[in-house]
Amino acid sequence: MDYMKLSKELSYALRHAPWEYELELDEEGWVEISQLLVALHESPGWRNVTEDDLQHMIAVSNKKRHEINAGRIRALYGHSTPQKISKIATQPPELLYHGTPVRAVSSIMEHGLQPRQRQYVHLSADMDTARQVGQRRDDQPVILRVKAGQAAREGVLFYHGNESIWLADVIPSRYIEQG
Ligand code: HQG
């Protein structure tokens, strides 16, 4: 089985278009695995997918994008569905990072970091992760430093995604540094 392809399909279903699979995310983004499997089994490529395959897909992935608990599965970040996934705000580390294409920097320094198509702004816990995120769009991305601790103390909300990804609401540019 192509577990990377399965992971992409699940990210699409659980982050962006659950209705295409006749699924409804609960407030925290969970769906019943049994319901997800019914939907997947309708498509010829995924007729034989089992819960064990979903566990294996998570285990072999280079990023922790999904989690399973008590017969349910959800995406940990990345959502663009109209109803915002509810998260518990948490104090972040003092510094977080954001990798972005050169062409986006002037707009970010003017308007702050915005969620754009997603529900939350995505930040990286370390520069390496930020570089990888930025390289999806630019070979030589800019790594911005976000004064997350200070922003949180002054009222910006941050949420834990996984061990290397944090989420936030709009981050005003006064908390963002270049270079
Ligand atoms: C940019 C992937 C202009 C922002 C990654 C980014 C991540 C602005 C783009 C996760 C802006 C949005 C999310 C502003 C933000 N003006 N551009 N004011 N504010 N932007 O894909 O953070 O592999 O929605 O810099 O690894 O790139 O799918 O966010 O370039 O963790 O699991 O607008 O998605 O994870 O792009 O990536 P995205 P992102 P997966």
Side-chain angles (χ1 to χ4, degrees):
M1 178 156 320
D2 184 338
Y3 288 103
M4 190 185 287
K5 196 166 167 213
L6 181 59
S7 176
K8 285 187 177 174
E9 179 104 24
L10 285 207
S11 288
Y12 180 67
L14 300 176
R15 290 175 175 178
H16 306 301
W19 51 86
E20 288 187 25
Y21 300 76
E22 287 176 49
L23 295 172
E24 204 173 317
L25 308 186
D26 79 2
E27 279 195 349
E28 297 175 327
W30 295 104
V31 300
E32 294 292 332
I33 288 178
S34 55
Q35 290 177 12
L36 172 68
L37 290 176
V38 166
L40 286 175
H41 291 166
E42 280 176 19
S43 97
W46 303 121
R47 234 180 260 303
N48 301 313
V49 177
T50 63
E51 180 165 351
D52 281 352
D53 288 318
L54 301 179
Q55 301 268 15
H56 187 74
M57 173 201 82
I58 291 171
V60 300
S61 173
N62 57 342
K63 286 188 188 176
K64 192 162 162 40
R65 295 183 171 94
H66 308 103
E67 77 176 329
I68 285 177
N69 186 21
R72 300 181 304 169
I73 187 168
R74 68 174 172 179
L76 285 167
Y77 59 87
H79 298 85
S80 70
T81 43
Q83 193 175 325
K84 200 164 172 184
I85 299 297
S86 97
K87 298 247 172 209
I88 295 169
T90 314
Q91 182 70 27
E94 275 309 303
L95 276 185
L96 288 169
Y97 302 89
H98 181 86
T100 193
V102 173
R103 61 182 178 277
V105 172
S106 60
S107 166
I108 291 172
M109 293 320 284
E110 186 176 346
H111 303 291
L113 274 167
Q114 300 166 330
R116 313 297 271 188
Q117 310 297 318
R118 302 190 200 257
Q119 296 178 0
Y120 296 96
V121 169
H122 287 59
L123 299 161
S124 302
D126 56 87
M127 290 185 72
D128 257 11
T129 304
R131 189 164 294 108
Q132 285 164 30
V133 173
Q135 279 173 340
R136 288 155 49 242
R137 300 213 169 79
D138 188 333
D139 290 345
Q140 301 282 326
V142 174
I143 313 299
L144 301 171
R145 263 198 320 271
V146 175
K147 293 190 271 182
Q150 185 189 343
R153 288 188 290 276
E154 293 176 7
V156 178
L157 297 181
F158 290 81
Y159 316 85
H160 197 243
N162 68 17
E163 61 280 359
S164 49
I165 299 200
W166 282 80
L167 308 178
D169 296 321
V170 174
I171 300 181
S173 54
R174 63 181 175 279
Y175 301 114
I176 303 171
E177 295 174 345
Q178 289 185 67

